[in-house]
Amino acid sequence: MCGISGCIIKRGNVANILYSSLKRLEYRGYDSAGVSTIYQGQLLVKKDAGKIDEIHSRLNLLDLPGNIGIAHTRWATHGAPSQVNAHPHLDCTGSIAVVHNGVLENFLELKQELEARKHTFRSKTDTEVIVHLIEEYIKIGKKLTEAVLETTRKLRGSYAIAVIYAGEPDKIVVARNESPLVIGLAKDMNLVASDVAALIEYTNRVVFLENGDMATVTADTFQIIRIDTGIPVERKITELNWTLEMATKGGYPHFMLKEIFDQPNVLREALRIQEKYLDLLTEFLDRGRDVFLIASGTSYNACIVGSYMFSKLARLSAYPVVASEFIENYGSSIGVDTVILALSQSGETADVLTSLDYARYRAATIIGITNVLGSTLTRIARAYVLQNAGPEIGVAATKTFTSQLMVLALLALRLARKRGKVSQYEIDEFQDELRSIPQLVEKTLEISNEPIKKLSREAARFSSMFFLGRGISYATALEARLKVMELSYIPSIAYPAGESKHGPISVIEEGYPVFFIAPNDETRKYLIGNIMEMKARGARIYCVGSEGDEEVKQLSDWFLGLPTTHSLLSPVVYIIPFQLLAYYTSIERGYDPDKPRNLAKSVTVL
Ligand code: M6R
C-alpha cells in the first residue's frame, strides 16, 4: 500500500499542497517519497529514501515551482526502499512522470518487451513499465489521455496511477483498478489522491472513481471514461462532512476497524505475490530434514495454521514453535539440514531475531515472511516473501494475520505441486478455493458486523471466556483468544477442543461463555461431542459455524453461520468475526482498540 496524490491549480505553485497531502498519506507507507512538478515546460523531480520529513530536510520539497504536480509515499513491494526506486518514475526522455499504488502482475513480461525495444530502466520497481509504455504511445503521436488509456489496457494487476507530461502541462491523467482513487474539486484547483485524507484540507467535494475508471483532470474540469470501452461516464460528486482525523482512517473511527475492513483488498494483493519468490521458499522448505515455523504472538498462530496446511496438502511436517522458546527447545539439535521459516509482520521482533541469529550460527537455512521490506528479517533471511499488506497502524494484528495465512497457503500449494503426494484434484480444488477467499471474506464481514456488534454488549460483561476449536480451527481459537484478550483485557482461555476435557473443563459453571469455532469439516462430528460436554456442565454455547448447519445451530445459545470454504482455508474466514468481537468489546469497555495498554506494535526486547 502506497499513497499517491496530485494537484493542478490555475495560478501559483502546488509544492506546498503536495507536501501537505503527502504528510496526510504517510500512514499508507513511509519508506521513501517523491514529488514531481512541471515548470516552464520541464519536469522537475525530487525523491529519496526515508520518511517525508527527513527527505524534506535534505531536499526541500517546497522548493519546486510549477502549478501542476504529483507525489508519492511508498511502502515497498518491488525493489528495496532507495532513491532510484522511489516514485515518481520517469520515461527515457524525462518528460513523463508517473506515481503508482498497487502491484502489477505482468510487469516482468512488459519490462522484457520494453527493454528489447531499447528502453532504459533505472529502478527495480514494477511501476516503471507504465511510464515507458506511455512514452511509446506519445512517441507515435497520441495525446496523454489516449496514451494512458492504451497503457492501462496492457496492465494486469492492481493500480491507482497519476501521470503528468511536460508536453501537456494542463492536465493530470489518473486511472484505477482495485487500488483506491479519489478526485477533489476545489475553486480554481483540482486534486487527486489515494484517499480523502490527502484532500480534505482543501475541499470536501469529492468524486470516488470506480474500478476500471480513468480521468483527465485539469484545474477546473474533469472527465471520466471507462478503460475497457473508452466511453465517458458520470460519477456523482459527494460532499463529505469528515474531520481530518476521520479522513485518515478512511471514515472509520479507528485504524483497527479500517484494517479489518481492508482485508478483502489486502488478500487480493497477497494473491499477486510473485511466483519466483514463492518458488524459492518452496525449494528451501522441500530440502529441509527438519522444518520449523517460528514466530511470536499472532504470527505464531499463523505458523500453526501453516503447519496444518503443509502437512495436509504437501505431506511436509513443519513444527510451529514460539520464538522465545526455540533455542531452549531445539537449539542443540538444529544444524545444516534445518530449515527455519520465520514469520514476523514487522520483521523486527527480538525473540524471532535472536532465534534466527542462533540458528544461523548453527548453519541452518533461514527463510522468512514479513510485511516490511528492509526489516532485519529481510536482511537475515536467505530468501523471503513480502506480504504486500501495507502498514498496519492498529497494534493488534488483523490484516497482516490473514495475509500471512494467504502466503502460507500459496506456499503449501506450491509445495504440494512439487512434492506430488496428493492428487491433482485436491491441488486444483485448493487453488480454486484460494482464489475465492477475498470474496468470502468480504461476505463474512457483511454477515458478521451487526450480530457481533450486538454480541459485544454482552461480551463486555464477561469476566472470562473460553475459545475452542479442533484441527486447524485450534489455531483460529488461539488467535480469537489473543485478539479478544489483548484488546478487552478479559482473561480468556483457548484450547484444542478435544483437550479441554483433560483439565480446563473444571472451570465451567452455569452460564460460563464458551466460543466454538465449528466449520463443517472433518473435525465437526468430534466437536459436537465437545459442545455436548460443555453444555452438560451449564456452559453458554456461542458457535461460529457453517451457514445452514442446523444441528450445530440447535446446540448453540448463539450461532453465526459463515460461508463454506476449504477446511485448510477456514481460519482466514473464521477469524473475521473474532477480530470484530475484539474490536467492539474493547469499545464497549471504554478502551482504545488501536492502542491497547502495555503493548507495542513491534516488540524489540527479549
Ligand atoms: O511483528 P511480529 O509479527 O513479529 O509481531 C509478533 C507479535 O508481537 C504480534 O503479533 C502481537 O502478538 C500483536 N499484539 C498481535 O495482535
Side-chain angles (χ1 to χ4, degrees), residues 256 294-301 343-352 369-372 377 387 392 394-398 400-401 404 479 482-483 486-487 596 599-604:
M256 183 184 175
I294 73 160
S296 306
T298 288
S299 298
Y300 168 68
N301 296 334
L343 266 69
S344 175
Q345 183 284 130
S346 60
E348 300 295 351
T349 297
D351 287 320
V352 175
I369 299 175
T370 182
N371 194 31
V372 184
L377 177 56
Q387 297 176 229
E392 191 172 59
V395 164
T398 51
T400 57
F401 174 65
Q404 280 171 339
E479 177 58 9
L482 175 57
K483 281 299 82 93
E486 72 179 332
L487 297 187
L599 291 174
K601 186 68 188 160
S602 173
V603 183
T604 52

Side-chain angles (χ1 to χ4, degrees), residues 178-218:
E178 291 185 21
S179 305
L181 199 55
V182 57
I183 302 174
L185 309 172
K187 187 164 170 4
D188 292 338
M189 166 172 94
N190 284 328
L191 304 106
V192 295
S194 294
D195 65 47
V196 171
L199 318 171
I200 201 87
E201 206 175 322
Y202 303 99
T203 181
N204 68 342
R205 296 180 71 230
V206 300
V207 178
F208 292 100
L209 293 189
E210 291 182 11
N211 275 334
D213 281 355
M214 202 189 110
T216 303
V217 181
T218 68

Side-chain angles (χ1 to χ4, degrees), residues 128 149 158 169 266 297 387 443 462 506 538 545 552:
E128 205 182 329
L149 178 65
S158 61
V266 167
Q387 297 176 229
K443 194 167 167 215
F462 296 161
S506 68
V552 170

Side-chain angles (χ1 to χ4, degrees), residues 105-330:
E105 285 162 22
N106 59 338
F107 90 95
L108 275 178
E109 67 194 67
L110 291 173
K111 186 171 177 175
Q112 277 162 10
E113 288 168 21
L114 286 158
E115 279 177 332
R117 295 198 292 271
K118 303 279 179 269
H119 286 268
T120 307
F121 279 78
R122 297 179 190 92
S123 76
K124 296 263 182 277
T125 64
D126 51 345
T127 303
E128 205 182 329
V129 296
I130 301 173
V131 75
H132 291 287
L133 282 170
I134 297 170
E135 176 191 351
E136 293 206 327
Y137 290 110
I138 298 268
K139 214 187 273 174
I140 58 167
K142 304 244 181 219
K143 302 301 277 181
L144 181 62
T145 300
E146 230 182 317
V148 175
L149 178 65
E150 294 296 341
T151 297
T152 48
R153 286 176 175 166
K154 292 198 155 168
L155 305 179
R156 272 204 328 268
S158 61
Y159 56 82
I161 55 170
V163 190
I164 54 173
Y165 169 41
E168 294 177 51
D170 60 339
K171 60 179 72 83
I172 304 174
V173 179
V174 295
R176 77 160 280 193
N177 183 47
E178 291 185 21
S179 305
L181 199 55
V182 57
I183 302 174
L185 309 172
K187 187 164 170 4
D188 292 338
M189 166 172 94
N190 284 328
L191 304 106
V192 295
S194 294
D195 65 47
V196 171
L199 318 171
I200 201 87
E201 206 175 322
Y202 303 99
T203 181
N204 68 342
R205 296 180 71 230
V206 300
V207 178
F208 292 100
L209 293 189
E210 291 182 11
N211 275 334
D213 281 355
M214 202 189 110
T216 303
V217 181
T218 68
D220 49 12
T221 63
F222 68 96
Q223 188 183 35
I224 305 173
I225 58 171
R226 296 293 298 157
I227 292 170
D228 52 357
T229 60
I231 295 172
V233 277
E234 294 284 324
R235 300 274 174 242
K236 80 170 193 300
I237 298 175
T238 308
E239 300 221 354
L240 297 170
N241 55 358
W242 291 5
T243 62
L244 180 59
E245 206 204 339
M246 281 168 76
T248 314
K249 293 171 185 159
Y252 291 96
H254 294 93
F255 281 111
M256 183 184 175
L257 196 60
K258 176 176 189 293
E259 285 157 4
I260 290 174
F261 277 89
D262 268 353
Q263 286 176 111
N265 281 335
V266 167
L267 300 179
R268 281 185 191 105
E269 291 302 346
L271 286 173
R272 295 201 169 92
I273 288 168
Q274 272 182 54
E275 305 215 335
K276 63 176 182 184
Y277 299 120
L278 294 164
D279 288 341
L280 197 54
L281 258 62
T282 307
E283 284 289 328
F284 284 121
L285 285 167
D286 188 41
R287 262 189 241 156
R289 189 198 59 198
D290 298 318
V291 179
F292 295 100
L293 306 178
I294 73 160
S296 306
T298 288
S299 298
Y300 168 68
N301 296 334
C303 288
I304 301 179
V305 175
S307 74
Y308 279 91
M309 288 174 173
F310 290 179
S311 160
K312 292 203 151 193
L313 203 64
R315 307 287 191 261
L316 177 86
S317 299
Y319 303 99
V321 188
V322 164
S324 56
E325 288 299 321
F326 182 72
I327 298 175
E328 273 303 311
N329 200 343
Y330 296 101

Side-chain angles (χ1 to χ4, degrees), residues 399-468:
K399 64 174 183 172
T400 57
F401 174 65
T402 47
S403 87
Q404 280 171 339
L405 301 190
M406 289 300 267
V407 178
L408 288 164
L410 289 166
L411 285 174
L413 185 67
R414 274 173 175 69
L415 268 172
R417 282 207 198 102
K418 188 168 172 54
R419 292 165 70 85
K421 296 197 176 161
V422 296
S423 69
Q424 191 58 40
Y425 174 79
E426 278 177 84
I427 294 175
D428 291 346
E429 190 194 18
F430 185 76
Q431 175 160 346
D432 289 349
E433 296 273 354
L434 191 53
R435 301 241 150 243
S436 69
I437 284 289
Q439 215 186 332
L440 292 186
V441 167
E442 210 155 57
K443 194 167 167 215
T444 302
L445 282 162
E446 252 174 65
I447 296 172
S448 311
N449 195 40
E450 283 310 317
I452 294 287
K453 201 190 276 185
K454 204 163 152 214
L455 177 66
S456 70
R457 288 176 217 137
E458 190 182 329
R461 296 195 303 274
F462 296 161
S463 53
S464 168
M465 48 184 130
F466 232 125
F467 294 90
L468 297 175

